[in-house]
Every structure is written in structure tokens, then in C-alpha cells.
Amino acid sequence: MAASMKISSFQRLNPVIHERTRLAIMTYIISVREASFSELKAELGLTDGNLNLHMRVLETHRYARVQKSFVDRRPRTTYRVTEKGIRAFQEYVALLERILKLRRRAPADADRPEKG
Amino acid sequence: MRRNALTPDDAAESLETIRSVLDRTTRYRQISWAGIALAGLVAAAAGGAGQALELSPQDRPAAFLALWAGTFGLALASGWWTTVLKARASGERVWSRKLQVVAAGVLPAFLLGGLLTALLSHAERLDLAPGVWMGTYAVGILAVSHVLDWEFQVTAWAFLVASAVASFALRCEPHLAMGLAFGGIHLVLGAYRHFKEHPWPRA
């Protein structure tokens, strides 16, 4: 039972969100609803290139959408997480909870290394 | 690079990432040291002016209230202005969700301060107003201290102590009490925040 649960969990694992930096980015934007590029960079300690790269992945999967505007004649890039992104994030968190519940129920089985 | 398999340890690690990011999103850091210091200067100047003009809360209640309501408005405006500048410099929205949390947290205490002032004015006991203002201000800060840096919590406790001092030891010197508390504490906090944000370069 525990092993089969683990395998099915693995199959549903979302690699876009599972990546640590993107998970942090998604968490941050969902929490504050809208975040600017510079805010994300400062709060999550990322470089321009790194943040750009991950945002492009999230945009490609339509998990985030970008909005470019001008404030006081200065360009401002802000991001929001889409409905699809919120759903994917909720599913990912639910999966984490299930995995941890599984560990509580059958610790030895759940901790066994799994091939990826 | 994370493995493409989700073990319980990975799951716990991911939840820890979410928890630590969520903790960061609740921290409000756009309160400018300059705004705090400016508010302190305005309050200290008002304390000096009130003392020099001898605006007694018992004899000249309207003038006493006008002086400190104006000071409050000016301090609030300078705080807002410097916050706007800081948010713009960092590319953040001014009226962010974090600021909305802070505003919603302090508002009840400020409204209570206004209500108590009206009651004290009606009872002709405005000599008690400084202690009440310091106390409600402290409660307002404490209400949102969980989203602010630790020094704001210390500041709130300093205002509570000041409230007791103003209510008992300095009741006859309302302007001095107000100038020392709202001026002095804000100046110290502003200076601390300045050095925290711009530490001296190591030799």
C-alpha cells in the first residue's frame, strides 16, 4: 500500500514546481498576489539571470504571467501566478502532505530510497 | 539539482522552503529610517513649541489638540512620503498587501486613541492625553510587531514605559513628555534603522 502510494505520487510529481527556486518564487508570488522583478530578486536572493531563467520556465508553462509597465518613467516588471499555476501549486502541496502522512503511518517503507 | 523522485525527506525539505518563504512574505520592510527620524524631529520640535508657547491642555485645550493633531498628521505624511520613495526605489508597489496588513493592524489602536481623546476632552482631562496616546501607539505597534523587525517591538515597549511615566511622573509637563517620547524614541529608532540599512564599512 505504502509503496504503491509512493510510486503514484512520483508519477504525479510536477517537475516545474518541484525545482527549489521555482517553488520559492511560486510561494512568494502566490502569497503577495503580485511581485515585481526587483522584489523577487531581493527577497529570494537571486541574480537577474537566475530569476529570468526561472520566470521564463513558469511563463512557458503558463503558471505565471508578466506585466510590464512604467512607473515614474522607469520600467517595472511584475508577475502574477495564473489560475493554472495556483492549481498546480495546491496539487503539489497536497502531494507533499500525502507523502509525509505516509511516512508517519509506515516510516520504514516510506523512507526506502526510490529510483527516479 | 534535486532528484526526480519525491522521498519524505524531499517533501519535508520542500515544505520547509515554503514555510521560510512565507515567513519572508509577511515581513514588512518598507518603513524608511528617514521617515521615522523625520517623525521624531517633528515631534521634538512640537514638544519644544508647546513648551515655549505654554499650551496647557487644561487652559488652552483647543490649541493643545491642534498642535498635536497637526504634528501627528505631519509625521504620518512624512512617513508615507518616505515609504513611497523607498518602495519606488526598490520597484515594489506602495500599497502592497504587506502594507495593508500593517495598516489594518494599527488602525484600531489609532481609532481608540481618537475616541479616548474625545472622551478626555469632554471630561476636561486632556492632561491625561499624552499617556493615553503613547499607550495606544504602543498597542498599535505591538499589534503588527509580528510582521515588523524586532526593534519595533522594543519601540512599542519603550512607548508603554513612556506612557506610564507621562501619566504619573510627567503629567504636569505634557509637551516635554510628548517631545521626549515621540521625538526621542523615534529618533533613536530612525538612527538604529539607518545604521542597520547602511552599516559602516569594515576597516
Side-chain angles (χ1 to χ4, degrees), chain A residues 1-10 12 95 98-99 102:
Chain A
M1 168 68 186
S4 65
M5 168 87 176
K6 198 158 56 179
I7 289 164
S8 65
S9 297
F10 163 63
R12 276 177 284 147
L95 177 65
R98 281 203 295 277
I99 294 281
L102 181 72

Side-chain angles (χ1 to χ4, degrees), chain A residues 16-76:
Chain A
V16 178
I17 299 182
H18 184 51
E19 204 287 325
R20 181 60 49 83
T21 308
R22 286 195 290 272
L23 177 62
I25 292 170
M26 289 283 284
T27 305
Y28 191 91
I29 305 176
I30 287 173
S31 173
V32 298
R33 289 185 199 151
E34 181 185 277
S36 69
F37 187 87
S38 45
E39 182 182 352
L40 283 169
K41 212 175 78 168
E43 291 287 348
L44 302 175
L46 300 170
T47 61
D48 282 12
N50 205 3
L51 180 55
N52 255 323
L53 187 81
H54 289 297
M55 288 315 303
R56 215 169 298 149
V57 173
L58 292 173
E59 282 178 67
T60 305
H61 286 83
R62 300 201 178 156
Y63 284 178
R65 66 166 172 266
V66 64
Q67 191 182 350
K68 291 182 188 278
S69 58
F70 280 88
V71 177
D72 293 338
R73 295 180 191 171
R74 290 165 65 184
R76 186 165 181 261

Side-chain angles (χ1 to χ4, degrees), chain B residues 63-80:
Chain B
F64 175 80
L65 279 180
L67 172 71
W68 288 107
T71 302
F72 177 68
L74 206 56
L76 207 61
S78 65
W80 175 254

